[in-house]
Amino acid sequence: MLEALLQGLLAVLQVKAFSFMLLGILVGFWVGLLPGLGGATTLALMLPFIYNMQPVEAFAFLLGMHSVVATTGDITSVLFGVPGEATTAAIILDGYSMTKKGQAGRALGAALTSSLIGALIGAAALALAVPIVRPLVLTFGSPELFMLAVVGLAFIASLSAQGVRGMVRGFIAGGTGLYLAMVGQDPQAGVARFTFDTLYLAQGIDLVPVLVGLFAIPEIIELVVRGSSIAGTTKPGRIEGALEGVKDVFRNGWLTIRCSLIGTFVGIMPGMGGAVAQWMAYGHATQSARTPEEREGFGNGDVRGVLGPGAACNSKEGGALIPTIAFGVPGSTSMAILLGGFFLLGLVPGPEMLTTHLSVTFSMVWTIVLANVITVALCFLLLNRLARLTTLPGHLLIPVILVLVFIGSYTTNSSYADLVVTLISGAVGYLMVRAGYPRAPLVLGLVLGKIAENYLYISVARYDAAWLLRPFVLVLLAVALGVVLYPFFQLWRARNRARA
Amino acid sequence: MHSRSSLALSLAVMVVSGAGTIAALDWPLKAKLFPMVIGIPLFCLAAAEVAWILLSKAPEEKAAEGEVPPLVARRRSLLGVGWILGLLASVVLLGFPIAVPLFVFLYLKLQGREGWIFSAVFTAAVWGAFYGLFDWLLHLPFPTGWLVAWLGFS
Amino acid sequence: MNWKPGLLVLALLPLSAWAQPQPYAGKTVTIIVGYKPGGGYDAMARLLARHLPKHIPGKPTVIVQNMPGGNSIIAANYLYSSAKPDGLTLGTFNRNLPIAQLTAVQGVKFDMRKFAWIGSAANETTVLTIRSDLPYKNFDELRKAKQPVVIGSTGPGANTYDFPLLLKDLLGVNLKIVSGYSSSADIMLAVERKEVDGRAGSISSLRPFVERKLVRPVVRARSHDVDPAIKDLPVDESIAPNPRAKAIMALRSAPELIARPYVMPPNTPPELLKVMREAFVAAIKDPAALAEATKAKLDLEYTPGEEAMKVLDEVLNQPKDIVAEFSKYVKFGE
């Protein structure tokens, strides 16, 4: 295995492969940055170009591009409050708040550093998991996946404000998200649920238009109201440096590592989708608040709310490669397209990738590592310039951001209906912000709703009730209960401390 | 926390979950299980929130908006909404390729109060980037606006 | 610079006046795909987009536009009513749309027969496969199974669901269909996990798993060009207990002959349709295209437009009672 590790590295360092990786990074940089482009669509568009490349080169290009998207997507989210990618929305809550306080540099520094660490951990997981990958993935069946979805939904409690009223609002938001996830044709009886007989809703509500509307539109309106630059009244030239952000990541080292592991784990689970990991990591980060006041600080610029999702978002990529390579089951849409690339190059995902073609697998690991290191380095060089954009007058940025938001929403399905969805989500998001409802649970519900339903039905159909007693199911159930009860525990502990 | 917004949201949720639950009653069991298990508690939670708001009548917090007084904030919010809806209308009626530069230019000029030359140059830059990236490089299709099509252009 | 080619052109210039007009020179042809990027229909369209230009006189650019939604009903509606019949727009969509039209699915605003059919770029055959380590080695043994055999599927409307459903309800095979998996790849993972015992699907998508001996095909639907690996399998229609069951199974399988349908909007001028059909034939025979298709695990095979029309006639002229019976089992979906 060590041989393959070395071989993989040497393969990536060859001039041709390396330059293709750089090209991929260049493309991915812009794809992640612009909210108008989804990583998945662009991957599909790039596929034709890799026909004449060797496998290692082609993957250097595709993976180089793909690894970078999550990192630069964070930049857009932090600086402008617009999700650069569907997978980088969670970081907006605290990242953008920090930017509004003039701490853009620090937020970016934290986001980039945590992204790098997350990517490294994800890549390491991929490399280390090679011997145990197949048994690992095979142990997790539909019951376990259902329970994992339940754990994800349990985070709704953590993501809600404290106190009973806060919980009620959080669960209303989460329930609404779950309800929205029910729209579309159900896979059990084929009934068209809540579609109002329209074709648009027949396949369900897409995440991107909702996400973009929910987060970007309220921020844009707020920017219009303030009439200033994003950074507000902070004088340009006093933007806190990125170095502080880097230090923050190391100050919260264990949290960063835990969030990376969450990301990797969720990434490994086939069928969980790409958007979940960041929210679970964010929820976990909020659990590290020690007092109710600290907890209130989340959503208003706590750096832990930046480094949690930042790390998880990148670490999940390494994890998602595992089921893709070992089983040909893609962990996300972009993985599905990567898979297409596999076939094009004559590689069959499966046991051979972990034995005969092990060095190709390792070259993918190295590509992720190198691509992320290069990207983060590049971003740091550009960081201060990027942060300075937040001091530009708002009215210069608003039209550009708004146009990108519209394009990003429209190009999901080439449909005007998506624009309508974005605006409605925008209205809802705006009201939620004013009413103090957390938006994170809504997204979580929307993302996990179908997964939870489908896997529950599969579990019951296949195992009747026996699946409830499977060991991992019980473990995950305990985790879910722990997650739900933790906020109450936090409150109780804080009260005890206050009394003491 | 503005209770009026919360009231609006909770009422909306009540309506949606209530109507949804009623619609779901006719479906086969497997199709209606989840919607009902989610919908009914959702309805109850939203009702609880509505009751809370109506019964507590806590004094409306005078929003500390920072430097912006509430009336100005409201006017600007409506303006922002207006611009957004305007962009939607122009995208649908005129198509993205025309709506984008038009919107950017108008926004800079009217809302931003920038000078003619600056607005023109900025618009040209944005339009160039938009065209170069989305049309020339990626061949992403943008349909012609309804108005434009109706007038006979293509 | 070599002047010989220039001289040749000058010499031939008068001849070009009698040469065929090149309506496609300098133009862009768009292929509309009723699905998001990354799926089978999209991959096929992009493959064709790469190889068609050299076979169309005038060598136009060919691009792909995705128009997902409503299981590609939206794309079909667009091609039917909104796209201009100027020869510059083609479309591909769900092969089961004729069935959607037949069963009057909500939102269908097209008549399949009125499209200008180019043909199909592939045909599919649905098979049912079960895990190799199960004791049932062939269909007869499967039919005698005492325990239900669990078949994983995505949902109604997909062949992963419909084919086994008909086997179960019309032939009485002891199957238990578990649906809700997000994709056929997830189902294969479930097979490896022994969570499900098998999966139905097109032979082209199942071939890698059959070759790897993970699963074994046991029964198939009717096929146009039978793949040698499944030639000897029993055909569901042939074992049907009565003419009605047979008609229902035949109806389900009929669209598989036009598995990758390509059409142009209604009222496209016949000469342009002819040019496009000829380009398709040439592109699909093109060795470069075939090589790429093999690598991408796509089956490439031309079915002419006339054959497609015959299939449509067969599907759309079904008597009402068969349609009613059919609708009880098969819902339009993926």
Side-chain angles (χ1 to χ4, degrees), chain C residues 59-142:
Chain C
K59 302 214 196 315
T61 320
V62 180
I63 62 169
V64 167
Q65 175 183 346
N66 298 88
M67 195 181 284
N71 286 305
S72 73
I73 293 183
I74 291 184
N77 285 345
Y78 176 81
L79 283 160
Y80 193 72
S81 324
S82 310
K84 290 200 208 73
D86 55 7
L88 294 178
T89 313
L90 325 172
T92 180
F93 38 63
N94 190 343
R95 67 187 68 124
N96 288 320
L97 285 189
I99 296 197
Q101 180 183 340
L102 180 69
T103 55
V105 167
Q106 187 56 249
V108 166
K109 291 202 185 82
F110 49 77
D111 181 353
M112 278 281 138
R113 289 168 290 207
K114 298 224 178 80
F115 279 116
W117 276 84
I118 301 174
S120 167
N123 50 56
E124 295 283 353
T125 309
T126 306
V127 296
L128 174 68
T129 61
I130 57 175
R131 217 173 41 238
S132 301
D133 59 11
L134 284 174
Y136 318 109
K137 302 269 179 285
N138 56 48
F139 192 52
D140 287 319
E141 288 181 25
L142 182 64

Side-chain angles (χ1 to χ4, degrees), chain A residues 406 410 416 419, chain B residues 83 85-106 127 130 141-154:
Chain A
F406 268 58
Y410 176 77
Y416 286 135
L419 290 177
Chain B
W83 277 104
L85 291 175
L87 180 57
L88 177 67
S90 51
V91 160
V92 172
L93 290 174
L94 302 172
F96 270 96
I98 302 179
V100 167
L102 185 66
F103 177 79
V104 173
F105 186 77
L106 285 178
W127 185 82
F130 160 84
F142 294 106
T144 42
W146 295 349
L147 199 62
V148 175
W150 186 71
L151 287 175
F153 299 108
S154 154

